[in-house]
PDB file of all heavy atoms in Angstrom:
ATOM      1  N   LEU W   1       0.811  -1.218   0.000  1.00 90.00           N
ATOM      2  CA  LEU W   1       0.000   0.000   0.000  1.00 90.00           C
ATOM      3  C   LEU W   1       0.845   1.268   0.000  1.00 90.00           C
ATOM      4  O   LEU W   1       0.351   2.342  -0.319  1.00 90.00           O
ATOM      5  CB  LEU W   1      -0.943   0.013   1.201  1.00 90.00           C
ATOM      6  CG  LEU W   1      -1.952  -1.143   1.292  1.00 90.00           C
ATOM      7  CD1 LEU W   1      -2.789  -1.009   2.551  1.00 90.00           C
ATOM      8  CD2 LEU W   1      -2.828  -1.199   0.051  1.00 90.00           C
ATOM      9  N   GLY W   2       2.117   1.126   0.400  1.00 91.00           N
ATOM     10  CA  GLY W   2       2.993   2.292   0.446  1.00 91.00           C
ATOM     11  C   GLY W   2       2.631   3.267   1.545  1.00 91.00           C
ATOM     12  O   GLY W   2       2.895   4.460   1.432  1.00 91.00           O
ATOM     13  N   GLN W   3       2.035   2.763   2.609  1.00 89.00           N
ATOM     14  CA  GLN W   3       1.618   3.611   3.735  1.00 89.00           C
ATOM     15  C   GLN W   3       2.159   3.047   5.043  1.00 89.00           C
ATOM     16  O   GLN W   3       2.356   1.838   5.175  1.00 89.00           O
ATOM     17  CB  GLN W   3       0.095   3.649   3.841  1.00 89.00           C
ATOM     18  CG  GLN W   3      -0.591   4.282   2.674  1.00 89.00           C
ATOM     19  CD  GLN W   3      -2.104   4.214   2.853  1.00 89.00           C
ATOM     20  OE1 GLN W   3      -2.657   3.198   3.233  1.00 89.00           O
ATOM     21  NE2 GLN W   3      -2.765   5.327   2.567  1.00 89.00           N
ATOM     22  N   MET W   4       2.354   3.947   6.001  1.00 89.00           N
ATOM     23  CA  MET W   4       2.725   3.504   7.337  1.00 89.00           C
ATOM     24  C   MET W   4       1.557   2.705   7.917  1.00 89.00           C
ATOM     25  O   MET W   4       0.398   3.054   7.708  1.00 89.00           O
ATOM     26  CB  MET W   4       3.059   4.691   8.245  1.00 89.00           C
ATOM     27  CG  MET W   4       4.372   5.355   7.890  1.00 89.00           C
ATOM     28  SD  MET W   4       5.798   4.236   7.986  1.00 89.00           S
ATOM     29  CE  MET W   4       5.903   3.954   9.740  1.00 89.00           C
ATOM     30  N   PRO W   5       1.861   1.630   8.638  1.00 86.00           N
ATOM     31  CA  PRO W   5       0.801   0.753   9.121  1.00 86.00           C
ATOM     32  C   PRO W   5      -0.012   1.337  10.266  1.00 86.00           C
ATOM     33  O   PRO W   5       0.488   2.130  11.057  1.00 86.00           O
ATOM     34  CB  PRO W   5       1.565  -0.483   9.596  1.00 86.00           C
ATOM     35  CG  PRO W   5       2.931   0.015   9.900  1.00 86.00           C
ATOM     36  CD  PRO W   5       3.188   1.143   8.947  1.00 86.00           C
ATOM     37  N   LYS W   6      -1.267   0.917  10.291  1.00 85.00           N
ATOM     38  CA  LYS W   6      -2.154   1.150  11.436  1.00 85.00           C
ATOM     39  C   LYS W   6      -2.730  -0.203  11.801  1.00 85.00           C
ATOM     40  O   LYS W   6      -3.392  -0.838  10.998  1.00 85.00           O
ATOM     41  CB  LYS W   6      -3.280   2.120  11.073  1.00 85.00           C
ATOM     42  CG  LYS W   6      -3.029   3.531  11.522  1.00 85.00           C
ATOM     43  CD  LYS W   6      -4.201   4.415  11.242  1.00 85.00           C
ATOM     44  CE  LYS W   6      -5.216   4.314  12.356  1.00 85.00           C
ATOM     45  NZ  LYS W   6      -6.306   5.277  12.217  1.00 85.00           N
ATOM     46  N   THR W   7      -2.407  -0.665  13.002  1.00 81.00           N
ATOM     47  CA  THR W   7      -2.872  -1.956  13.494  1.00 81.00           C
ATOM     48  C   THR W   7      -3.305  -1.775  14.948  1.00 81.00           C
ATOM     49  O   THR W   7      -3.075  -0.711  15.532  1.00 81.00           O
ATOM     50  CB  THR W   7      -1.740  -3.007  13.430  1.00 81.00           C
ATOM     51  OG1 THR W   7      -0.720  -2.630  14.371  1.00 81.00           O
ATOM     52  CG2 THR W   7      -1.142  -3.118  12.034  1.00 81.00           C
ATOM     53  N   PRO W   8      -3.905  -2.805  15.559  1.00 79.00           N
ATOM     54  CA  PRO W   8      -4.233  -2.676  16.987  1.00 79.00           C
ATOM     55  C   PRO W   8      -3.006  -2.370  17.856  1.00 79.00           C
ATOM     56  O   PRO W   8      -3.106  -1.646  18.831  1.00 79.00           O
ATOM     57  CB  PRO W   8      -4.837  -4.037  17.331  1.00 79.00           C
ATOM     58  CG  PRO W   8      -5.440  -4.503  16.048  1.00 79.00           C
ATOM     59  CD  PRO W   8      -4.476  -4.029  14.982  1.00 79.00           C
ATOM     60  N   ALA W   9      -1.845  -2.892  17.469  1.00 79.00           N
ATOM     61  CA  ALA W   9      -0.629  -2.617  18.232  1.00 79.00           C
ATOM     62  C   ALA W   9      -0.011  -1.267  17.870  1.00 79.00           C
ATOM     63  O   ALA W   9       0.762  -0.705  18.639  1.00 79.00           O
ATOM     64  CB  ALA W   9       0.391  -3.732  18.015  1.00 79.00           C
ATOM     65  N   LEU W  10      -0.342  -0.734  16.697  1.00 82.00           N
ATOM     66  CA  LEU W  10       0.164   0.558  16.216  1.00 82.00           C
ATOM     67  C   LEU W  10      -1.026   1.393  15.743  1.00 82.00           C
ATOM     68  O   LEU W  10      -1.229   1.588  14.552  1.00 82.00           O
ATOM     69  CB  LEU W  10       1.143   0.352  15.058  1.00 82.00           C
ATOM     70  CG  LEU W  10       2.401  -0.449  15.350  1.00 82.00           C
ATOM     71  CD1 LEU W  10       3.092  -0.869  14.069  1.00 82.00           C
ATOM     72  CD2 LEU W  10       3.329   0.356  16.238  1.00 82.00           C
ATOM     73  N   PRO W  11      -1.829   1.915  16.670  1.00 87.00           N
ATOM     74  CA  PRO W  11      -3.105   2.528  16.289  1.00 87.00           C
ATOM     75  C   PRO W  11      -3.046   3.973  15.799  1.00 87.00           C
ATOM     76  O   PRO W  11      -4.060   4.498  15.347  1.00 87.00           O
ATOM     77  CB  PRO W  11      -3.905   2.450  17.587  1.00 87.00           C
ATOM     78  CG  PRO W  11      -2.875   2.541  18.666  1.00 87.00           C
ATOM     79  CD  PRO W  11      -1.667   1.817  18.120  1.00 87.00           C
ATOM     80  N   HIS W  12      -1.888   4.614  15.858  1.00 89.00           N
ATOM     81  CA  HIS W  12      -1.802   6.038  15.518  1.00 89.00           C
ATOM     82  C   HIS W  12      -1.488   6.271  14.042  1.00 89.00           C
ATOM     83  O   HIS W  12      -0.965   5.412  13.358  1.00 89.00           O
ATOM     84  CB  HIS W  12      -0.722   6.724  16.364  1.00 89.00           C
ATOM     85  CG  HIS W  12      -0.959   6.612  17.826  1.00 89.00           C
ATOM     86  ND1 HIS W  12      -1.886   7.374  18.492  1.00 89.00           N
ATOM     87  CD2 HIS W  12      -0.396   5.811  18.763  1.00 89.00           C
ATOM     88  CE1 HIS W  12      -1.884   7.053  19.763  1.00 89.00           C
ATOM     89  NE2 HIS W  12      -0.993   6.102  19.961  1.00 89.00           N
ATOM     90  N   GLU W  13      -1.788   7.472  13.590  1.00 89.00           N
ATOM     91  CA  GLU W  13      -1.372   7.908  12.253  1.00 89.00           C
ATOM     92  C   GLU W  13       0.129   8.201  12.299  1.00 89.00           C
ATOM     93  O   GLU W  13       0.694   8.486  13.358  1.00 89.00           O
ATOM     94  CB  GLU W  13      -2.135   9.174  11.838  1.00 89.00           C
ATOM     95  CG  GLU W  13      -3.636   8.990  11.735  1.00 89.00           C
ATOM     96  CD  GLU W  13      -4.059   8.117  10.560  1.00 89.00           C
ATOM     97  OE1 GLU W  13      -3.229   7.888   9.651  1.00 89.00           O
ATOM     98  OE2 GLU W  13      -5.205   7.660  10.564  1.00 89.00           O
ATOM     99  N   TRP W  14       0.776   8.197  11.143  1.00 88.00           N
ATOM    100  CA  TRP W  14       2.219   8.423  11.096  1.00 88.00           C
ATOM    101  C   TRP W  14       2.606   9.783  11.658  1.00 88.00           C
ATOM    102  O   TRP W  14       3.675   9.942  12.242  1.00 88.00           O
ATOM    103  CB  TRP W  14       2.741   8.283   9.660  1.00 88.00           C
ATOM    104  CG  TRP W  14       2.274   9.382   8.743  1.00 88.00           C
ATOM    105  CD1 TRP W  14       1.157   9.379   7.970  1.00 88.00           C
ATOM    106  CD2 TRP W  14       2.891  10.645   8.533  1.00 88.00           C
ATOM    107  NE1 TRP W  14       1.039  10.555   7.277  1.00 88.00           N
ATOM    108  CE2 TRP W  14       2.102  11.361   7.604  1.00 88.00           C
ATOM    109  CE3 TRP W  14       4.043  11.262   9.026  1.00 88.00           C
ATOM    110  CZ2 TRP W  14       2.416  12.640   7.181  1.00 88.00           C
ATOM    111  CZ3 TRP W  14       4.357  12.530   8.591  1.00 88.00           C
ATOM    112  CH2 TRP W  14       3.554  13.207   7.672  1.00 88.00           C
ATOM    113  N   TYR W  15       1.739  10.769  11.543  1.00 90.00           N
ATOM    114  CA  TYR W  15       2.091  12.127  11.950  1.00 90.00           C
ATOM    115  C   TYR W  15       1.817  12.423  13.429  1.00 90.00           C
ATOM    116  O   TYR W  15       2.259  13.439  13.938  1.00 90.00           O
ATOM    117  CB  TYR W  15       1.350  13.156  11.088  1.00 90.00           C
ATOM    118  CG  TYR W  15      -0.151  12.955  11.038  1.00 90.00           C
ATOM    119  CD1 TYR W  15      -0.981  13.465  12.024  1.00 90.00           C
ATOM    120  CD2 TYR W  15      -0.731  12.229  10.005  1.00 90.00           C
ATOM    121  CE1 TYR W  15      -2.352  13.260  11.990  1.00 90.00           C
ATOM    122  CE2 TYR W  15      -2.096  12.023   9.959  1.00 90.00           C
ATOM    123  CZ  TYR W  15      -2.900  12.547  10.953  1.00 90.00           C
ATOM    124  OH  TYR W  15      -4.248  12.340  10.916  1.00 90.00           O
ATOM    125  N   ASN W  16       1.089  11.555  14.131  1.00 90.00           N
ATOM    126  CA  ASN W  16       0.823  11.828  15.550  1.00 90.00           C
ATOM    127  C   ASN W  16       1.196  10.651  16.444  1.00 90.00           C
ATOM    128  O   ASN W  16       0.756  10.582  17.582  1.00 90.00           O
ATOM    129  CB  ASN W  16      -0.633  12.242  15.765  1.00 90.00           C
ATOM    130  CG  ASN W  16      -1.623  11.131  15.458  1.00 90.00           C
ATOM    131  OD1 ASN W  16      -1.253  10.004  15.141  1.00 90.00           O
ATOM    132  ND2 ASN W  16      -2.895  11.462  15.545  1.00 90.00           N
ATOM    133  N   THR W  17       2.010   9.745  15.932  1.00 89.00           N
ATOM    134  CA  THR W  17       2.385   8.571  16.722  1.00 89.00           C
ATOM    135  C   THR W  17       3.470   8.915  17.746  1.00 89.00           C
ATOM    136  O   THR W  17       4.378   9.689  17.446  1.00 89.00           O
ATOM    137  CB  THR W  17       2.868   7.421  15.813  1.00 89.00           C
ATOM    138  OG1 THR W  17       3.139   6.291  16.629  1.00 89.00           O
ATOM    139  CG2 THR W  17       4.106   7.795  15.028  1.00 89.00           C
ATOM    140  N   PRO W  18       3.389   8.331  18.933  1.00 89.00           N
ATOM    141  CA  PRO W  18       4.492   8.476  19.888  1.00 89.00           C
ATOM    142  C   PRO W  18       5.645   7.521  19.548  1.00 89.00           C
ATOM    143  O   PRO W  18       6.726   7.642  20.091  1.00 89.00           O
ATOM    144  CB  PRO W  18       3.851   8.100  21.225  1.00 89.00           C
ATOM    145  CG  PRO W  18       2.736   7.175  20.853  1.00 89.00           C
ATOM    146  CD  PRO W  18       2.236   7.644  19.513  1.00 89.00           C
ATOM    147  N   ASN W  19       5.391   6.601  18.621  1.00 88.00           N
ATOM    148  CA  ASN W  19       6.388   5.596  18.261  1.00 88.00           C
ATOM    149  C   ASN W  19       7.390   6.184  17.268  1.00 88.00           C
ATOM    150  O   ASN W  19       7.047   6.486  16.144  1.00 88.00           O
ATOM    151  CB  ASN W  19       5.701   4.375  17.642  1.00 88.00           C
ATOM    152  CG  ASN W  19       4.709   3.762  18.585  1.00 88.00           C
ATOM    153  OD1 ASN W  19       5.005   3.525  19.749  1.00 88.00           O
ATOM    154  ND2 ASN W  19       3.506   3.511  18.100  1.00 88.00           N
ATOM    155  N   ILE W  20       8.640   6.325  17.710  1.00 90.00           N
ATOM    156  CA  ILE W  20       9.659   6.925  16.854  1.00 90.00           C
ATOM    157  C   ILE W  20      10.764   5.946  16.471  1.00 90.00           C
ATOM    158  O   ILE W  20      11.499   6.198  15.533  1.00 90.00           O
ATOM    159  CB  ILE W  20      10.271   8.187  17.505  1.00 90.00           C
ATOM    160  CG1 ILE W  20      10.879   7.861  18.865  1.00 90.00           C
ATOM    161  CG2 ILE W  20       9.223   9.285  17.621  1.00 90.00           C
ATOM    162  CD1 ILE W  20      11.595   9.026  19.519  1.00 90.00           C
ATOM    163  N   HIS W  21      10.880   4.838  17.192  1.00 91.00           N
ATOM    164  CA  HIS W  21      11.899   3.834  16.893  1.00 91.00           C
ATOM    165  C   HIS W  21      11.252   2.455  16.860  1.00 91.00           C
ATOM    166  O   HIS W  21      11.381   1.668  17.788  1.00 91.00           O
ATOM    167  CB  HIS W  21      13.025   3.861  17.926  1.00 91.00           C
ATOM    168  CG  HIS W  21      13.941   5.015  17.768  1.00 91.00           C
ATOM    169  ND1 HIS W  21      13.985   6.054  18.658  1.00 91.00           N
ATOM    170  CD2 HIS W  21      14.850   5.307  16.811  1.00 91.00           C
ATOM    171  CE1 HIS W  21      14.877   6.935  18.252  1.00 91.00           C
ATOM    172  NE2 HIS W  21      15.413   6.501  17.130  1.00 91.00           N
ATOM    173  N   LEU W  22      10.566   2.169  15.776  1.00 91.00           N
ATOM    174  CA  LEU W  22       9.926   0.868  15.627  1.00 91.00           C
ATOM    175  C   LEU W  22      10.966  -0.169  15.232  1.00 91.00           C
ATOM    176  O   LEU W  22      11.953   0.147  14.573  1.00 91.00           O
ATOM    177  CB  LEU W  22       8.822   0.960  14.578  1.00 91.00           C
ATOM    178  CG  LEU W  22       7.670   1.886  14.977  1.00 91.00           C
ATOM    179  CD1 LEU W  22       6.790   2.193  13.778  1.00 91.00           C
ATOM    180  CD2 LEU W  22       6.852   1.263  16.098  1.00 91.00           C
ATOM    181  N   CYS W  23      10.738  -1.412  15.661  1.00 94.00           N
ATOM    182  CA  CYS W  23      11.695  -2.467  15.342  1.00 94.00           C
ATOM    183  C   CYS W  23      10.979  -3.805  15.197  1.00 94.00           C
ATOM    184  O   CYS W  23       9.802  -3.930  15.519  1.00 94.00           O
ATOM    185  CB  CYS W  23      12.787  -2.550  16.409  1.00 94.00           C
ATOM    186  SG  CYS W  23      12.226  -3.095  18.035  1.00 94.00           S
ATOM    187  N   THR W  24      11.740  -4.781  14.729  1.00 95.00           N
ATOM    188  CA  THR W  24      11.254  -6.150  14.612  1.00 95.00           C
ATOM    189  C   THR W  24      11.895  -6.986  15.720  1.00 95.00           C
ATOM    190  O   THR W  24      12.783  -6.510  16.443  1.00 95.00           O
ATOM    191  CB  THR W  24      11.628  -6.751  13.255  1.00 95.00           C
ATOM    192  OG1 THR W  24      13.049  -6.920  13.205  1.00 95.00           O
ATOM    193  CG2 THR W  24      11.153  -5.877  12.100  1.00 95.00           C
ATOM    194  N   LEU W  25      11.481  -8.237  15.798  1.00 96.00           N
ATOM    195  CA  LEU W  25      12.089  -9.144  16.771  1.00 96.00           C
ATOM    196  C   LEU W  25      13.589  -9.275  16.501  1.00 96.00           C
ATOM    197  O   LEU W  25      14.401  -9.225  17.423  1.00 96.00           O
ATOM    198  CB  LEU W  25      11.451 -10.533  16.695  1.00 96.00           C
ATOM    199  CG  LEU W  25       9.937 -10.627  16.824  1.00 96.00           C
ATOM    200  CD1 LEU W  25       9.495 -12.070  16.727  1.00 96.00           C
ATOM    201  CD2 LEU W  25       9.441  -9.998  18.087  1.00 96.00           C
ATOM    202  N   HIS W  26      13.940  -9.421  15.228  1.00 96.00           N
ATOM    203  CA  HIS W  26      15.354  -9.578  14.870  1.00 96.00           C
ATOM    204  C   HIS W  26      16.155  -8.325  15.228  1.00 96.00           C
ATOM    205  O   HIS W  26      17.288  -8.426  15.694  1.00 96.00           O
ATOM    206  CB  HIS W  26      15.504  -9.883  13.380  1.00 96.00           C
ATOM    207  CG  HIS W  26      14.856 -11.166  12.974  1.00 96.00           C
ATOM    208  ND1 HIS W  26      15.127 -12.384  13.566  1.00 96.00           N
ATOM    209  CD2 HIS W  26      13.927 -11.426  12.037  1.00 96.00           C
ATOM    210  CE1 HIS W  26      14.409 -13.330  13.014  1.00 96.00           C
ATOM    211  NE2 HIS W  26      13.655 -12.773  12.070  1.00 96.00           N
ATOM    212  N   ASP W  27      15.576  -7.144  15.021  1.00 96.00           N
ATOM    213  CA  ASP W  27      16.256  -5.901  15.385  1.00 96.00           C
ATOM    214  C   ASP W  27      16.553  -5.863  16.879  1.00 96.00           C
ATOM    215  O   ASP W  27      17.659  -5.510  17.297  1.00 96.00           O
ATOM    216  CB  ASP W  27      15.404  -4.678  15.028  1.00 96.00           C
ATOM    217  CG  ASP W  27      15.243  -4.463  13.543  1.00 96.00           C
ATOM    218  OD1 ASP W  27      16.181  -4.775  12.780  1.00 96.00           O
ATOM    219  OD2 ASP W  27      14.174  -3.980  13.139  1.00 96.00           O
ATOM    220  N   PHE W  28      15.555  -6.223  17.693  1.00 97.00           N
ATOM    221  CA  PHE W  28      15.746  -6.162  19.147  1.00 97.00           C
ATOM    222  C   PHE W  28      16.781  -7.189  19.600  1.00 97.00           C
ATOM    223  O   PHE W  28      17.628  -6.890  20.444  1.00 97.00           O
ATOM    224  CB  PHE W  28      14.429  -6.363  19.898  1.00 97.00           C
ATOM    225  CG  PHE W  28      14.600  -6.228  21.379  1.00 97.00           C
ATOM    226  CD1 PHE W  28      14.740  -4.981  21.961  1.00 97.00           C
ATOM    227  CD2 PHE W  28      14.666  -7.355  22.186  1.00 97.00           C
ATOM    228  CE1 PHE W  28      14.942  -4.849  23.331  1.00 97.00           C
ATOM    229  CE2 PHE W  28      14.858  -7.235  23.555  1.00 97.00           C
ATOM    230  CZ  PHE W  28      14.999  -5.978  24.124  1.00 97.00           C
TER     231      PHE W  28
END
C-alpha cells in the first residue's frame, strides 16, 4: 500500500504517533 501501518498494536497515524523507533524481533 505504500503507507505507514495502522494496526491494533500501532493505532496512531504516522504524523501523531508516539512511536519513533519501531523495530522487529530480529532488530531487538
Side-chain angles (χ1 to χ4, degrees):
L1 300 179
Q3 296 178 316
M4 288 301 291
K6 261 185 84 173
T7 67
L10 299 166
H12 301 283
E13 298 290 344
W14 69 269
Y15 53 84
N16 66 4
T17 183
N19 301 312
I20 58 175
H21 285 110
L22 295 166
C23 67
T24 68
L25 306 180
H26 298 305
D27 292 327
F28 183 76

